[in-house]
Amino acid sequence: MLGSSPWRRRRGAELLAATAATTTGHLVDGGDGVRLHGLHSAVPGVAPRGLALLLHGWEGSAESSYMRLTAAHLLRQGFEVFRLNFRDHGDSHHLNEALFHSNRIDEVVHAACDVARRMLPPGTPLVAAGYSLGGNFALRLALRAPAAGLALARVAAVCPVLDPAHTMVHMERGWRVYLRHFENKWRESLERKRALFPQRHNFDDRTLRLHMRELTQWLVERHTSFGSIDEYFDGYSIAGERLAGLQVPADILMAADDPVIPLDDFHALVLPPHARLQMTAHGGHCGFLLNARMDGYGEAWVARRLAQAATA
């Protein structure tokens, strides 16, 4: 909870400003007419070691505290950084009519290829990292990178969603403040979408009052091609042996006291030799706070792991 507090956001803004980086907004191509928004940061006069693509969690954004803090660490390591907003995150609801859902991996892969083509400094590596649902997307991006022709050198994931069905049950059985947080954020996003595209999205307030599982069921039935919520969850699961075929070196960080992601899924995870899982006793969900200044272990960990690609 402290990890998403105003003090933490202010710390991220301070450290990012201290890098003296120039940040510019960009629209990138998600394929099939999809447009995604992101922020590119680079320190003028510094020869970059590579480009880092950062992916936020569900209902986060490119301006989330952990995104800013990770960008600051990577900029100090000599990287340029691109923080991508998923569809309907940040201030990007107006860019696409259709709603975001967690199986929209194709547009993220397409956007990553566009970012690499336009912004990757010649002769340097492309790396990627994500948090929570963004960690899930980052690992799926790594799975698809070879077939997409994306030369991804390394990937890192912090508290990634492995099995969405298990995560839903874990949140329903746990302290419901976390479930309510995500429900409220999702409702706000859907309200914005309805106001922008009233002809396409004419759902009523009763729909918005549905709880997480029922609202997800509505999304699956009305706005995806999946036949059931179980098929939808299975569509973006990376649990069990699904990461065994990873060809990109990967690092995963998970906290044993994460209140959102169930720990058992990580004990059952099958990884190739070039993928590493690090477990910590504490950290919460993408928090990993180190001190009263709101510095985080997770963001520094991501920067250190991704920097290994440039060293190699």
Side-chain angles (χ1 to χ4, degrees), residues 21 28 33 37 62 80 98 127 130 141 159 166 197 202 205 258 275 291 294:
V28 295
H37 174 264
E80 294 183 4
V127 294
L141 173 66
C159 300
H166 290 174
F197 303 103
N202 58 354
D205 289 344
D258 190 316
N291 50 47
M294 300 290 165

Side-chain angles (χ1 to χ4, degrees), residues 23-223:
T23 298
T24 53
H26 298 268
L27 292 181
V28 295
D29 181 13
D32 295 326
V34 173
R35 296 177 299 163
L36 301 180
H37 174 264
L39 300 172
H40 178 257
S41 298
V43 179
V46 174
R49 300 174 64 192
L51 176 66
L53 174 68
L54 300 184
L55 305 176
H56 58 78
W58 186 43
E59 295 304 333
S61 77
E63 296 285 26
S64 292
S65 57
Y66 52 85
M67 295 282 278
R68 290 173 171 175
L69 286 161
T70 307
H73 281 287
L74 285 162
L75 287 162
R76 288 204 297 267
Q77 292 268 9
F79 281 83
E80 294 183 4
V81 179
F82 192 89
R83 290 173 280 153
L84 181 69
N85 277 312
F86 293 138
R87 178 196 295 241
D88 296 349
H89 289 73
D91 292 321
S92 69
H93 292 69
H94 64 288
L95 294 177
N96 306 282
E97 282 196 21
L99 296 177
F100 170 82
H101 62 73
S102 299
N103 278 282
R104 293 197 183 278
I105 181 62
D106 289 343
E107 62 194 49
V108 174
V109 173
H110 204 285
C113 292
D114 189 36
V115 169
R117 183 168 54 251
R118 292 165 53 187
M119 302 176 193
L120 182 64
T124 67
L126 174 70
V127 294
Y131 291 79
S132 191
L133 181 61
N136 172 288
F137 268 87
L139 291 167
R140 282 188 289 157
L141 173 66
L143 281 171
R144 292 171 176 240
L150 183 66
L152 189 60
R154 196 174 196 94
V155 67
V158 178
C159 300
V161 176
L162 297 185
D163 189 317
H166 290 174
T167 300
M168 175 74 81
V169 172
H170 190 69
M171 293 176 68
E172 289 172 334
R173 293 176 177 174
W175 194 24
R176 297 185 75 85
V177 66
Y178 299 106
L179 193 65
R180 296 291 173 259
H181 167 77
F182 286 112
E183 284 176 348
N184 291 334
K185 295 282 286 185
W186 190 12
R187 288 171 184 141
E188 291 172 6
S189 178
L190 291 173
E191 286 177 344
R192 291 183 65 179
K193 202 72 173 183
R194 182 174 64 179
L196 286 164
F197 303 103
Q199 299 302 318
R200 176 77 177 268
H201 303 297
N202 58 354
F203 47 83
D204 57 22
D205 289 344
R206 288 177 298 177
T207 299
L208 295 176
R209 287 194 292 269
L210 294 172
H211 291 304
M212 180 69 77
R213 182 175 293 276
E214 292 73 25
L215 194 55
T216 304
Q217 181 72 46
W218 166 84
L219 174 76
V220 171
E221 292 176 353
R222 302 292 183 86
H223 298 279

Side-chain angles (χ1 to χ4, degrees), residues 5-19 63-72 83 293-295:
S5 66
W7 304 286
R8 174 88 159 152
R9 288 194 293 272
R10 184 164 61 245
R11 181 61 172 165
E14 290 172 352
L15 291 184
L16 188 55
T19 65
E63 296 285 26
S64 292
S65 57
Y66 52 85
M67 295 282 278
R68 290 173 171 175
L69 286 161
T70 307
R83 290 173 280 153
R293 295 193 305 272
M294 300 290 165
D295 293 320

